[in-house]
Amino acid sequence: MESLDSGLWREARSLHEQLFVVNGLDASGLSEQVLRTLQAGGVHANMTTLRLEVGSAEHRFLHECRDRALKATSIAQIEAARRQGKLALIPCWQSVELGRGRLDELYGFQALGLRSSGLVYNLGNAVGSGCLDPQMGPLSHFGVEVVRTLQALRVVVDVGGHTSEATGFDAIEQTRGPVVCSHANPRALRDVRRNITDELIRAIARRGGVVGIPAFNFFLADQRSPGPKSAPLDEYLRHIDYVVRLVGDEHVGIGLDQIIGRRGVGAVDPAFFPADVYPQHKQDWIYVEHLDDFSGVPLITAGLMRLGYARERIERIMGLNWLRVWREVWGE
């Protein structure tokens, strides 16, 4: 982003400290580093991809850091966490991985904290098709049951992104109330299969949902040259502004899709991560400048201010839109 005027930066920092900041999707592993950068960035609630299993080490981590963070499964708990100066971590899935006939397991996962769920991760599963499948079809019969059960359990249905648009549109047809796309950029600005079309963005908005904008570099700009450089923060803001202009600021949020602690080195599996959609080496999975962790989140607020966004619009984009949808789906 172009250098900020010092006065604007002071004003932005002051505003950011007053916001209720919510990140709609995070794929990082739970760690001290993640907690530190969330706190440094002024994030209050983080939708976190967790392993919801009894034997998961994540339960122990949450217990050991309970003075700083807590697993939140309701709006009341999220608000209480903020009052107590703690981070609220909300469990989610990026895809539903149940064998056929195991639908009842969703009740157990909901009891363990599941509050939002994607449907398919890139390649098809028993629920439907993924964004990288050569033949993109609708929900399976089992997928219809899954979506209806998620709604009955008051779990947010997350369409688009990794899920194919055919399955995403079908899920919208099979649901009532808000649906979301937690982390995808507009395909109109960056034409890769992992991003979503204006038509799907409009369909989510018509249902009162939210599209979260990720900061993953390759979904915003083509940087396949050796030693790729991070796209400027202005490019990330351009994607936010595009969706706002398309459907209104009530339907846009941040969904940074960080992978802190999971990035690694070496080649990726080209079946799940083909070269036209993802860099082929993990070390090239980089993020927009200043957003390689959460400490740069205040710069999003500053950037929106520089674009002329009023306080009320910034409040919605930076967190209130997510809270509105979660309150409608979960209740209090």
Side-chain angles (χ1 to χ4, degrees):
M1 186 164 63
E2 296 175 8
S3 58
L4 283 171
D5 172 81
S6 59
L8 175 61
W9 176 235
R10 286 194 299 271
E11 186 179 352
R13 286 292 311 197
S14 176
L15 173 58
H16 191 79
E17 290 171 1
Q18 300 170 53
L19 299 177
F20 204 134
V21 181
V22 180
N23 179 41
L25 192 285
D26 179 33
S28 302
L30 286 185
S31 67
E32 293 288 344
Q33 178 189 8
V34 170
L35 296 188
R36 283 197 307 273
T37 66
L38 283 165
Q39 290 172 320
V43 178
H44 300 104
N46 194 45
M47 183 64 78
T48 305
T49 307
L50 294 178
R51 290 178 55 212
L52 292 170
E53 301 170 359
V54 172
S56 170
E58 292 166 339
H59 298 297
R60 179 174 180 176
F61 181 85
L62 287 167
H63 177 77
E64 292 176 345
C65 70
R66 61 192 181 278
D67 59 325
R68 290 167 292 146
L70 57 83
K71 182 177 76 172
T73 58
S74 68
I75 295 297
Q77 288 178 340
I78 292 172
E79 292 174 340
R82 186 189 184 190
R83 289 194 300 271
Q84 297 164 16
K86 297 180 182 180
L87 292 165
L89 304 175
I90 305 101
C92 74
W93 284 346
Q94 294 197 47
S95 67
V96 175
E97 301 300 337
L98 301 173
R100 293 185 186 275
R102 295 168 58 191
L103 193 64
D104 285 350
E105 290 186 2
L106 285 176
Y107 291 84
F109 288 121
Q110 193 270 355
L112 285 171
L114 181 66
R115 290 297 180 269
S116 181
S117 182
L119 302 176
V120 183
Y121 192 93
N122 286 358
L123 297 179
N125 59 16
V127 172
S129 61
C131 66
L132 304 183
D133 282 326
Q135 299 294 326
M136 297 188 187
L139 288 170
S140 65
H141 291 298
F142 178 68
V144 171
E145 292 184 86
V146 165
V147 166
R148 290 176 177 173
T149 302
L150 290 172
Q151 287 235 297
L153 291 170
R154 307 193 79 167
V155 174
V156 174
V157 175
D158 184 0
V159 304
H162 295 291
T163 300
S164 79
E165 296 214 346
T167 290
F169 279 117
D170 204 27
I172 292 173
E173 289 295 317
Q174 297 292 335
T175 57
R176 295 182 179 181
V179 296
V180 306
C181 180
S182 61
H183 59 304
N185 298 89
R187 197 177 295 180
L189 296 186
R190 175 75 170 111
D191 189 10
V192 294
R193 291 178 283 166
R194 175 59 180 76
N195 289 340
I196 61 174
T197 63
D198 287 359
E199 290 75 18
L200 184 57
I201 294 171
R202 290 191 184 101
I204 291 167
R206 284 194 296 269
R207 296 292 297 277
V210 175
V211 175
I213 306 301
F216 188 62
N217 195 78
F218 201 62
F219 298 160
L220 289 104
D222 188 351
Q223 293 278 346
R224 281 179 287 192
S225 58
K229 292 176 59 179
S230 294
L233 185 59
D234 282 336
E235 186 65 22
Y236 180 77
L237 295 166
R238 187 168 77 100
H239 282 240
I240 290 178
D241 191 58
Y242 179 87
V243 182
V244 168
R245 291 174 184 273
L246 184 68
V247 294
D249 57 67
E250 305 93 338
H251 305 293
V252 185
I254 62 173
L256 298 177
D257 194 20
Q258 294 284 357
I259 52 172
I260 298 167
R262 299 188 194 272
R263 187 171 300 151
V265 296
V268 300
D269 180 349
F272 272 92
F273 307 111
D276 65 319
V277 184
Y278 294 88
Q280 294 299 283
H281 293 89
K282 294 176 184 176
Q283 55 265 38
D284 294 335
W285 286 35
I286 60 176
Y287 286 74
V288 173
E289 65 176 355
H290 308 302
L291 291 178
D292 54 346
D293 63 28
F294 295 101
S295 62
V297 170
L299 285 167
I300 303 175
T301 297
L304 292 172
M305 290 181 65
R306 199 189 64 180
L307 290 175
Y309 279 67
R311 176 184 177 126
E312 294 77 13
R313 305 180 82 197
I314 295 172
E315 287 177 328
R316 288 193 283 269
I317 292 166
M318 295 303 293
L320 295 189
N321 286 336
W322 286 120
L323 294 179
R324 170 184 56 79
V325 167
W326 297 346
R327 180 175 281 108
E328 185 168 345
V329 176
W330 305 342
E332 290 295 325

